[in-house]
Amino acid sequence: MGLKLFLISFILISLFFTMLYISTYSTSFDINILNQSSIPTTLLIPKSINNSRPYPVSFAYLISASKGDTAKLKRTIQALYHPGNLYLIHLEREATEDEHREIARFVRDNHVFQLVGNVMIVGKPNRVTYRGPTMLATTLHAMSMLLRIDAQWDWFINLSASDYPLVTQDDLISAFSVLPRHLNFIQHSSRLGWKLNKRGKPIMIDPGLYSSNKSDIWWVIKQRTLPTAFKLYTGSAWTILSRSFAEYCIMGYENLPRTLLLYYTNFVSSPEGYFQTVICNSKEYKNTTVNHDLHYISWDTPPKQHPRLLGPRDYRKMVLSSRPFARKFKHNNGVLDRIDHELLKRSHPTHFSHGGWCLKSDDDDKHQKCSRFHNDGFGVLKPGAGGRRLATLLKKLTSNPNFSRHQCR
């Protein structure tokens, strides 16, 4: 009798928990399913774009965002968009479920994104710890994904939601079209100064590599000696890397990229040194560097840990710098409206930047709408003054003796 009672109780309890699990499972939100619904099932840009190569060069973007960045992220993507490029969005795992839903719907519901199929979301985002190697891991992850999706892009660009373009993508494509495809725009220096003792010797552990809960990095008491097998370099975390160098970092026949990745796993702010140290210690790539990150960034004097937030007073300097990107901006800062209006020819933050591919309105407004894809304009470039400024800067940076003088030392 006792055994029967036990079995009946066990079955009833099992049924209860089964129904509870089914109920919870059916009402919970699966962010990966919504993400995947916004991505072509083949994970490929349509063959009409891949095979025809209508534009002279193309770019593969990683756009990273953190919790609270969804509004900035959407505006930046709209400003950066072009049908000839690839865009991969990484919204870190720490962001709320609602934020992941919002970005997934933003991509899914945009008619142009769906028509071209070149805007994607990382379905399983990483946990990113500030100053830790998890941001570097995210960048390498994105590079490998973009190489697998389409190996025909020419340069990889990493940006954050706090970045903003100062030129249209037609300007960028036009200016880069005359450059050798092997060039890497990566700011580097072997003069580490205070970083030798503050970053080269300390050992830190990033819990984001193994913990499901986000927490700050922690330090190991014992320090290490400086490396003798390779030379350390430092520079900007923002780069424009050639496809060839990206392949070398991900699938390189040499072990240097992997060896340095192991070293930089315990190195604070590794995105500011990893690519610089890899490229400057590589015989094949060390002479391909243009020592510039092509960003307008304003620092305090003396510089603080973060760059100064840009505003209306910085507009003239940004334009005169001729650089294609700037950072950091707060959401809806007034200077962004001026950049949209005067540099990107955008009449509204929800429209795209001016380009030959856009379907424009029939009115005589100076800044016509660029809101839809125009088949007859696909492959057509309409660069403007921003493209000419950028072309002048690139010519200066890549011309001898300026180019050779600033190679890895």
Side-chain angles (χ1 to χ4, degrees):
M1 184 70 180
L3 180 60
K4 289 183 179 180
L5 183 62
F6 170 77
L7 290 174
I8 293 172
S9 301
F10 177 78
I11 292 172
L12 290 174
I13 293 173
S14 299
L15 286 173
F16 171 76
F17 280 106
T18 300
M19 294 304 296
L20 181 65
Y21 171 78
I22 292 173
S23 176
T24 304
Y25 183 80
S26 63
T27 57
S28 65
F29 174 69
D30 188 346
I31 185 66
N32 291 328
I33 293 176
L34 184 53
N35 282 353
Q36 291 169 1
S37 68
S38 64
I39 305 173
T41 55
T42 57
L43 284 179
L44 289 171
I45 293 182
K47 291 183 178 180
S48 60
I49 295 179
N50 268 340
N51 293 343
S52 59
R53 293 282 291 178
Y55 295 99
V57 296
S58 63
F59 301 91
Y61 282 91
L62 164 64
I63 307 173
S64 303
S66 302
K67 182 178 180 180
D69 283 346
T70 53
K72 289 195 297 184
L73 177 61
K74 291 191 289 185
R75 181 167 185 166
T76 299
I77 293 170
Q78 291 275 163
L80 286 168
Y81 183 77
H82 192 282
N85 296 331
L86 274 172
Y87 300 87
L88 184 62
I89 301 169
H90 181 271
L91 180 59
E92 71 162 319
R93 194 186 305 177
E94 192 71 11
T96 66
E97 191 174 274
D98 287 341
E99 289 177 316
H100 283 283
R101 287 176 184 266
E102 183 180 353
I103 295 302
R105 290 196 183 98
F106 167 71
V107 175
R108 182 193 62 191
D109 295 343
N110 188 291
H111 176 71
V112 175
F113 294 170
Q114 292 306 303
L115 179 65
V116 182
N118 62 339
V119 179
M120 293 147 286
I121 301 171
V122 177
K124 295 182 178 180
N126 301 306
R127 191 175 303 282
V128 179
T129 306
Y130 174 66
R131 298 191 301 165
T134 40
M135 189 65 247
L136 174 59
T138 298
T139 303
L140 292 170
H141 181 201
M143 290 169 64
S144 65
M145 291 179 66
L146 290 164
L147 285 169
R148 183 177 181 180
I149 293 167
D150 182 3
Q152 293 194 24
W153 50 264
D154 298 285
W155 279 282
F156 169 84
I157 302 177
N158 65 319
L159 300 175
S160 78
S162 297
D163 291 76
Y164 211 70
L166 302 177
V167 298
T168 69
Q169 292 301 291
D170 275 14
D171 290 334
L172 192 69
I173 292 171
S174 176
F176 269 76
S177 64
V178 299
L179 297 180
R181 304 297 187 265
H182 67 275
L183 292 181
N184 292 278
F185 293 82
I186 180 167
Q187 184 191 63
H188 58 79
S189 174
S190 60
R191 299 178 180 177
L192 271 66
W194 62 269
K195 293 182 180 180
L196 279 176
N197 292 322
K198 295 295 184 180
R199 293 186 180 177
K201 293 182 179 180
I203 302 174
M204 67 87 192
I205 304 296
D206 184 355
L209 294 173
Y210 61 85
S211 176
S212 60
N213 299 317
K214 186 170 183 176
S215 60
D216 197 10
I217 60 175
W218 58 273
W219 302 91
V220 177
I221 297 176
K222 186 174 178 62
Q223 295 193 344
R224 57 185 170 186
T225 59
L226 295 174
T228 57
F230 48 84
K231 189 174 182 179
L232 292 179
Y233 289 80
T234 187
S236 172
W238 313 105
T239 61
I240 299 181
L241 305 177
S242 68
R243 189 188 73 230
S244 174
F245 182 64
E247 291 173 343
Y248 174 73
C249 291
I250 301 300
M251 304 174 290
Y253 60 90
E254 291 183 337
N255 206 33
L256 178 65
R258 286 168 286 278
T259 299
L260 292 178
L261 183 59
L262 292 172
Y263 177 80
Y264 274 95
T265 300
N266 304 114
F267 196 100
V268 66
S269 299
S270 54
E272 297 177 3
Y274 174 74
F275 290 113
Q276 287 83 356
T277 303
V278 170
I279 203 166
C280 287
N281 283 275
S282 168
K283 293 181 180 179
E284 183 176 353
Y285 290 98
K286 67 179 182 180
N287 293 326
T288 67
T289 59
V290 180
N291 199 347
H292 205 290
D293 64 1
L294 297 184
H295 266 68
Y296 179 86
I297 305 175
S298 178
W299 297 91
D300 290 305
T301 305
K304 297 180 180 178
Q305 194 169 34
H306 297 284
R308 188 173 59 83
L309 290 171
L310 301 175
R313 293 182 179 180
D314 300 290
Y315 178 80
R316 186 171 181 273
K317 290 182 179 179
M318 284 189 284
V319 175
L320 293 177
S321 74
S322 301
R323 302 176 188 189
F325 306 105
R327 72 183 320 270
K328 301 174 61 174
F329 295 96
K330 278 189 173 181
H331 177 56
N332 281 344
N333 187 298
V335 73
L336 295 178
D337 295 330
R338 188 174 180 185
I339 291 172
D340 281 345
H341 184 76
E342 298 183 12
L343 302 182
L344 305 182
K345 303 296 187 276
R346 294 210 302 165
S347 57
H348 193 274
T350 61
H351 295 161
F352 300 107
S353 299
H354 174 78
W357 63 274
C358 291
L359 180 64
K360 298 177 173 59
S361 60
D362 296 328
D363 56 39
D364 295 326
D365 184 21
K366 180 181 179 181
H367 300 295
Q368 296 176 324
K369 292 181 180 179
C370 182
S371 56
R372 288 192 292 163
F373 187 83
H374 185 32
N375 287 331
D376 294 341
F378 187 66
V380 176
L381 288 176
K382 291 186 176 181
R388 292 189 291 272
R389 288 192 298 268
L390 177 57
T392 301
L393 173 63
L394 295 178
K395 184 178 180 180
K396 178 183 177 182
L397 293 174
T398 57
S399 298
N400 281 320
N402 192 48
F403 175 67
S404 57
R405 188 187 303 128
H406 292 94
Q407 293 299 302
C408 298
R409 294 287 185 268

